[in-house]
């Protein structure tokens, strides 16, 4: 039985497990937890509100099976817990450590920042014992998970009841919704004002170029028209000044998570969650380093490889004398590397690797972006010769600039985003006269700020210190899934529900949407990670906030309902209309507990369709019948077939993805026709 001291490596994803298994060979057995295998229970709070002790449960029967397999294998084995190198990954690892510490001979912590044979073997060799790692990471996870659960579980039902409808409140999602709502209100309130742009087309040696009046924006229409008519008949312009200078443009640092999401959103139109899914695959297939990071640092060895690559493929002139070093804003981030390629080979070869791994065209597009940014970050600056010239036309000064690229530098690889104005100018000398061939006076209007895109919203959240690399994509997904924002093109527009929620929270629980408070709480978690603060203190602060709020808010729905009941029962409630507690009491005493005729008829028809039993007590109780109808509708949905007409509407609106999901399709169709009727 020499098999006993087998080495077990535990990672999160089965795909990653297969990849690592290939590199480590038969002495090792690589197993996957399939993501978080433990979490707070779905149907209850799962947190003791006196001690804040959480109750974590195994998420599914499959996870239970996986766990018992790993436990069996780990008996007297050497175990390497190699879940992802961040807070969430560490938490999965910690739960696994707790499960195995009495069984395994030894448990070590391995953090893989790239899935390449050399890196994995090195990390396994020097893996520390799990007990010696930073448990602060797990405590920061606890703070986040428990704190978010308390905020969501306590405030969502209150908000739903008081606003009327289904609303979800989140510690980080709600400030994100507030940003979108505020931007939309700025846009609605914006009043465009006119301004005037005056330009003259000049010519020398057959080369035409545009020059602008020295005050680029004129607010005064009369002045603009006067200058225009003064220069209209003038045929020449005199060069009064020529400045030439060399302008250098430095490459950008390699990608962090948020900048990758922003760039992929603006360049490729990928949503942050799509970017993260693709990046996850690239990471697991060994093509890029770990994709959740706020570091811009690149390891010395990688820099050596990149420099060698630049020299071989672009030549010595593209290689700076010294390697470029990028520093991260927060020093803690530098434990990790930036997101970079792991194979220092040309683009065609990168494409080949993508095909060999069976990945898609979209994977390649993202890899290409990471490849370009990685290589460019170590190349020489781009150099422009910029000429600025001033002209006198009838006593008015006009100005022009032109740039010629003298050396393309890093732009040979990465030439997106920054556009240098490259108007071609003829050689110009002070004192000479050039021809004026035309002039133009344009009226333009100031524009409102643009709507956020998912990329620019991630950027804003990062600027405000809200969210972390692992959460940006989830925040975007949540606010879309919960129906608070919709995408129009690439832009985000808030829905009616978003306005209702933000106005309510602003009045009643302002701290939830307070950017500064949210930022301070994120920093608190960072301190917990560094063992400088206690996670329970984090949770306690949030819990106390949820308990102390102003007076209850009366929603329009509640008020209308109370007035209806008062009319029905011939009661006068004018003296309690602004007292939420009394109003609620009145509603509870007088509300109808019997179902309506319509509800009863509907329930009976559903019972016939589905064959579900419809007990007598359900027919006599409004709440019970509602629950029964919802259950029966779900049952009916299983066999529901969309009509051809319904399918045609979905296809016409680009929602054919819903054809196989009748429940979602009907929801979408309902809201589609509702909007049509409103119009």
């Amino acid at each position: 039985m020499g098999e006993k001291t087998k080495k077990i490596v535990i990672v999160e994803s089965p795909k990653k497990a297969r990849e690592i298994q290939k590199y480590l060979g038969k002495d090792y057995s690589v197993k996957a937890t399939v993501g978080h295998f433990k979490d707070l229970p779905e149907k209850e709070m799962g947190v003791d509100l006196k001690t804040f002790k959480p109750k974590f449960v195994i998420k599914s029967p499959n996870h239970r099976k996986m766990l018992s397999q790993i436990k069996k294998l780990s008996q007297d084995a050497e175990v390497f817990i190699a879940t992802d190198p961040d807070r969430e990954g560490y938490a999965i690892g910690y739960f696994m450590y707790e499960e195995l510490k009495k069984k395994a001979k030894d448990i070590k912590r391995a953090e893989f920042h790239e899935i390449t044979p050399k890196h994995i073997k090195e990390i396994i060799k020097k893996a520390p014992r799990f007990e010696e790692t930073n448990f602060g990471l797990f405590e920061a996870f606890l703070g986040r998970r428990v704190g978010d659960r308390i905020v969501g579980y306590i405030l969502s039902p209150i908000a739903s009841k008081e606003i009327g409808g289904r609303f979800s409140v989140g510690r980080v999602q709600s400030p994100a919704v507030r940003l979108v709502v505020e931007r939309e209100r700025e846009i609605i309130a914006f009043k465009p004002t006119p301004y005037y742009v005056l330009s003259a087309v000049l010519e020398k040696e057959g080369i035409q170029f545009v020059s602008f009046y020295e005050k680029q924006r004129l607010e005064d229409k009369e002045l603009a028209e006067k200058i225009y008519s003064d220069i209209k008949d003038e045929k020449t312009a005199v060069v009064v000044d020529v400045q030439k200078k060399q302008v250098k443009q430095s490459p950008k640092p390699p990608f962090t998570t948020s900048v990758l999401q922003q760039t992929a959103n603006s360049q490729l139109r990928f949503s942050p969650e799509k970017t993260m899914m693709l990046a996850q695959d690239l990471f697991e297939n060994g093509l890029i380093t770990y994709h959740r990071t706020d570091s811009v640092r690149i390891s010395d060895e990688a820099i050596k490889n990149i420099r060698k690559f630049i020299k071989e493929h672009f030549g010595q002139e593209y290689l700076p004398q010294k390697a470029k070093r990028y520093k991260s804003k927060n020093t803690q981030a530098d434990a990790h590397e930036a997101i970079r390629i792991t194979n220092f080979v040309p683009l065609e070869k990168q494409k080949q690797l993508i095909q060999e791994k069976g990945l898609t065209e979209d994977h390649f597009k993202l890899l290409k972006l990471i490849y370009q940014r990685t290589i460019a970050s170590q190349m020489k600056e781009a150099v422009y010769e910029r000429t600025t010239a001033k002209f006198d036309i009838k006593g008015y000064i006009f100005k022009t600039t032109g740039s010629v690229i003298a050396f393309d530098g890093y732009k040979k690889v990465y030439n997106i985003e920054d556009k240098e104005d490259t108007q071609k100018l003829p050689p110009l000398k002070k004192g000479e006269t050039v021809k004026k061939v035309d002039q133009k006076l344009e009226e333009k209007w100031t524009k409102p700020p643009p709507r956020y895109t998912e990329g620019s919203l991630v950027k804003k959240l990062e600027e405000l210190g809200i969210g972390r690399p692992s959460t940006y994509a989830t925040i975007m997904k949540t606010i879309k899934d919960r129906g608070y924002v919709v995408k129009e093109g690439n832009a985000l527009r808030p829905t009616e529900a978003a306005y209702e929620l933000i106005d309510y929270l602003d009045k009643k629980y302002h701290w939830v949407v307070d950017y500064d408070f949210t930022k301070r709480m994120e920093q608190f978690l960072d301190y917990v990670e560094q063992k400088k603060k206690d996670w329970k203190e984090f949770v306690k602060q949030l819990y106390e906030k949820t308990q102390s709020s102003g007076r209850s808010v009366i929603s329009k729905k509640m008020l209308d309902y109370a007035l209806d009941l008062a009319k029905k029962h011939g009661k006068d409630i004018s003296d309690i209309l602004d007292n939420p507690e009394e109003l609620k009491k009145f509603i509870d005493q007088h509300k109808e507990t019997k179902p309506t005729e319509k509800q009863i008829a509907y329930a009976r028809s559903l019972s016939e369709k589905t064959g579900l039993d419809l007990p007598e007590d359900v027919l006599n109780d409004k709440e019970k019948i509602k629950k029964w109808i919802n259950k029966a509708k779900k049952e009916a949905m299983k066999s529901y077939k969309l009509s051809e007409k319904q399918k045609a509407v979905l296809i016409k609106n680009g929602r054919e993805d819903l054809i196989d999901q009748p429940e979602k399709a009907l929801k979408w169709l309902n809201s589609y026709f509702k909007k049509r009727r409103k119009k």
Side-chain angles (χ1 to χ4, degrees):
M1 291 296 288
E3 282 299 291
K4 266 303 182 205
T5 54
K6 202 160 171 139
K7 295 178 164 72
I8 316 290
V9 177
I10 297 167
V11 294
E12 276 161 65
S13 96
K15 200 156 65 196
K16 192 155 78 175
R18 287 194 292 275
E19 201 70 21
I20 294 171
Q21 186 70 69
K22 281 192 292 204
Y23 302 152
L24 290 176
K26 62 180 188 322
D27 292 345
Y28 288 82
S29 177
V30 188
K31 295 287 167 207
T33 66
V34 195
H36 275 283
F37 66 96
K38 273 188 156 181
D39 200 1
L40 294 171
E42 260 181 51
K43 299 275 192 293
E44 53 170 308
M45 166 83 78
V47 177
D48 178 331
L49 292 176
K50 286 193 178 64
T51 62
F52 301 122
K53 191 174 160 38
K55 175 173 105 186
F56 285 98
V57 296
I58 289 167
K59 273 173 75 168
S60 71
N62 280 346
H63 283 110
R64 181 163 279 117
K65 213 163 97 189
M66 167 280 302
L67 188 59
S68 82
Q69 252 184 346
I70 289 180
K71 277 178 159 175
K72 262 200 205 96
L73 271 177
S74 301
Q75 192 66 46
D76 300 325
E78 187 178 1
V79 176
F80 294 88
I81 291 179
T83 46
D84 284 351
D86 60 10
R87 226 179 256 173
E88 299 296 310
Y90 188 89
I92 296 171
Y94 183 89
F95 283 132
M96 193 49 90
Y97 164 72
E98 285 290 310
E99 295 282 349
L100 305 180
K101 65 181 180 191
K102 294 205 172 70
K103 295 191 176 321
K105 195 170 79 175
D106 199 9
I107 302 180
K108 292 181 170 162
R109 168 72 172 145
E111 284 193 8
F112 299 146
H113 292 268
E114 53 183 271
I115 308 298
T116 53
K118 186 178 173 206
H119 179 79
I120 281 170
K121 286 171 186 160
E122 268 174 17
I123 295 292
I124 290 278
K125 210 185 292 172
K126 56 177 200 208
R129 299 192 57 204
F130 202 92
E131 293 80 35
E132 293 157 13
T133 59
N134 177 15
F135 287 174
L137 280 154
F138 179 66
E139 289 172 350
F141 157 79
L142 280 180
R144 182 201 66 73
R145 188 71 193 92
V146 176
D148 288 356
R149 170 57 65 102
I150 283 177
V151 172
Y153 249 67
I154 292 178
L155 297 188
S156 299
I158 297 176
S160 300
K161 202 167 176 181
E162 295 192 347
I163 307 170
R166 281 192 67 179
F167 287 87
S168 93
V169 179
R171 185 180 64 84
V172 185
Q173 84 185 36
S174 298
V177 175
R178 177 185 164 193
L179 280 167
V180 180
V181 165
E182 281 180 347
R183 175 58 58 91
E184 196 69 17
R185 284 186 163 147
E186 272 178 66
I187 294 169
I188 293 165
F190 185 83
K191 297 209 172 4
T193 55
Y195 65 95
Y196 303 89
V197 175
L198 199 60
S199 60
V201 180
L202 308 178
E203 186 185 305
K204 182 188 172 188
E205 294 170 3
I207 298 171
Q208 288 195 357
F209 53 96
V210 184
S211 64
F212 291 92
Y213 178 59
E214 62 180 343
K215 253 192 96 178
Q216 281 236 338
R217 292 164 76 131
L218 286 160
E219 263 86 44
D220 183 340
K221 188 178 183 181
E222 278 176 24
L223 176 63
E225 284 172 344
K226 180 183 182 315
I227 300 171
Y228 179 78
S229 69
D230 284 355
I231 67 166
K232 198 171 179 332
D233 300 323
E234 191 58 38
K235 296 281 182 272
T236 59
V238 179
V239 182
V240 288
D241 186 37
V242 180
Q243 300 282 338
K244 280 189 175 188
K245 68 174 191 200
Q246 229 189 38
V247 181
K248 286 185 174 178
Q249 221 174 50
S250 295
K252 292 193 158 90
F255 282 130
T256 59
T257 302
S258 87
V259 180
L260 177 65
Q261 289 175 6
Q262 291 161 39
T263 312
N265 185 248
S266 64
Q267 299 299 319
L268 306 170
R269 290 282 191 263
F270 290 172
S271 69
E273 66 262 31
K274 177 173 180 170
T275 298
M276 290 314 268
M277 263 164 49
L278 296 169
Q280 177 89 31
D281 293 340
L282 294 173
F283 168 63
E284 288 178 357
N285 280 286
L287 299 172
I288 62 169
T289 51
Y290 189 53
H291 53 296
R292 292 192 180 98
T293 175
D294 40 17
S295 165
V296 288
R297 186 181 68 80
I298 287 187
S299 72
D300 292 347
E301 192 187 348
I303 288 178
K304 250 196 331 244
N305 284 318
I306 297 166
R307 285 177 62 84
K308 190 174 150 209
F309 178 86
I310 293 167
K311 193 174 167 182
E312 278 171 23
H313 296 274
F314 300 99
Q316 185 73 46
E317 68 270 29
Y318 284 91
L319 192 65
Q321 262 189 316
K322 274 168 53 191
K324 291 183 183 293
R325 306 269 170 200
Y326 296 98
K327 272 256 180 286
S328 301
K329 284 198 288 280
N330 84 40
T331 46
Q332 232 201 317
D334 268 348
H336 297 253
E337 269 194 82
I339 303 169
R340 61 162 173 83
I341 53 170
T342 50
N343 301 287
F344 304 97
V345 294
L347 211 47
E348 310 76 72
K349 188 82 174 78
Q350 301 278 356
K351 185 156 200 166
Q352 210 178 314
L353 289 169
I354 288 273
Q355 286 159 349
E356 282 166 18
K357 305 271 185 192
L359 298 173
T360 65
E361 186 56 34
D362 281 348
H363 285 98
F364 176 65
K365 284 179 184 164
L366 191 67
L367 181 63
K368 181 179 173 185
L369 216 51
I370 296 166
Y371 158 87
Q372 291 172 323
R373 186 88 165 214
T374 305
I375 302 300
S377 73
Q378 287 300 323
M379 288 171 87
K380 267 192 182 162
E381 292 94 347
V383 183
Y384 290 90
E385 300 283 357
R386 189 185 290 157
T387 305
T388 308
K390 288 182 180 172
F391 304 88
D392 181 326
I393 307 176
K394 205 79 188 282
Y396 298 106
I397 299 295
F398 280 68
K399 200 170 146 187
T400 189
T401 47
S403 294
V404 182
I405 193 153
F407 176 63
D408 55 0
Y410 77 91
K411 286 185 178 251
K412 197 168 186 69
V413 180
Y414 187 81
N415 192 16
I416 58 175
E417 300 170 288
D418 37 28
K419 297 278 175 266
E420 174 80 16
D421 167 35
T422 50
Q423 172 172 242
K424 197 169 173 357
L425 294 182
L428 295 165
K429 281 204 301 288
K430 192 175 169 176
E432 70 177 328
T433 303
V434 296
K435 263 198 289 195
K436 177 171 85 64
V437 281
D438 196 9
Q439 67 283 316
K440 206 154 82 181
L441 176 60
E442 292 173 276
E443 180 180 64
K444 294 190 173 188
W445 292 82
T446 53
K447 285 192 176 77
R451 277 179 176 156
Y452 284 110
T453 62
E454 287 174 275
S456 64
L457 186 55
V458 166
K459 186 177 184 183
K460 186 69 182 170
L461 288 168
E462 190 185 31
E463 278 168 18
L464 291 170
I466 296 173
R468 288 293 178 261
S470 56
T471 57
Y472 299 125
T474 324
I475 297 168
M476 295 304 125
K477 185 177 182 330
T478 305
I479 64 177
K480 285 186 295 187
D481 288 355
R482 298 270 159 86
Y484 293 128
V485 302
V486 287
K487 272 178 90 164
E488 291 187 355
N490 206 29
L492 298 175
R493 177 177 66 73
T495 59
E496 212 35 63
Y499 288 107
E500 289 181 294
L501 178 71
I502 296 306
D503 289 345
Y504 167 78
L505 289 175
D506 199 34
K507 267 201 213 102
K508 181 96 189 283
Y509 296 98
H510 178 72
W511 61 271
V512 177
V513 288
D514 181 336
Y515 305 131
D516 205 47
F517 177 75
T518 310
K519 175 188 180 167
R520 286 203 307 276
M521 292 318 263
E522 293 281 9
Q523 286 168 338
F524 197 119
L525 286 177
D526 290 343
Y527 287 135
V528 171
E529 193 172 303
Q530 297 159 35
K531 303 284 255 227
K532 292 177 187 166
K533 296 243 188 222
D534 177 6
W535 72 271
K536 284 192 173 173
E537 186 49 43
F538 174 85
V539 174
K540 183 171 170 239
Q541 280 191 28
L542 286 173
Y543 176 63
E544 283 169 356
K545 288 268 191 196
T546 63
Q547 297 308 298
S548 62
S549 82
R551 280 180 64 160
S552 192
V553 176
I554 301 171
S555 71
K556 185 175 181 310
K557 205 169 173 183
M558 182 177 175
L559 197 60
D560 290 348
Y561 185 46
L563 288 167
D564 270 358
L565 285 176
K567 200 170 162 188
K568 208 174 189 177
H569 293 277
K571 302 272 184 195
D572 175 17
I573 57 166
S574 53
D575 56 334
I576 60 165
L577 284 179
D578 58 355
N579 184 332
E581 278 68 38
E582 286 302 313
L583 212 53
K584 192 175 174 307
K585 221 183 279 174
F586 173 80
I587 289 172
D588 287 342
Q589 280 165 359
H590 295 87
K591 69 180 178 194
E592 194 56 76
T593 55
K594 272 194 121 29
T596 62
E597 289 304 318
K598 211 169 159 186
Q599 277 176 314
I600 293 170
Y602 185 39
R604 287 202 163 120
S605 81
L606 278 173
S607 172
E608 275 170 36
K609 258 187 216 165
T610 57
L612 282 176
D613 184 31
L614 181 57
E616 197 57 37
D617 64 325
V618 170
L619 289 170
N620 287 315
D621 185 308
K622 200 169 188 167
E623 289 307 312
K624 282 185 185 170
I625 204 163
K626 262 193 206 162
K627 279 184 186 159
W628 188 93
I629 285 173
N630 283 337
K631 191 173 126 192
K633 269 164 55 180
K634 279 202 171 103
E635 198 52 45
M637 263 311 137
K638 288 178 186 169
S639 54
Y640 186 86
K641 295 272 184 289
L642 291 172
S643 71
E644 290 311 311
K645 190 179 168 196
Q646 286 170 320
K647 286 181 191 170
V649 173
L650 290 171
I651 292 165
K652 188 178 164 203
N653 287 281
R655 293 310 311 254
E656 52 267 46
D657 56 315
L658 297 179
I659 286 175
D660 298 330
Q661 308 175 59
E663 197 171 350
K664 282 187 178 168
L666 288 179
K667 218 172 181 177
W668 186 90
L669 288 162
N670 269 338
S671 92
Y672 171 77
F673 288 120
K674 209 170 178 179
K675 278 183 204 152
R676 290 280 296 263
R677 283 197 295 275
K678 268 187 189 167
K679 281 180 189 170

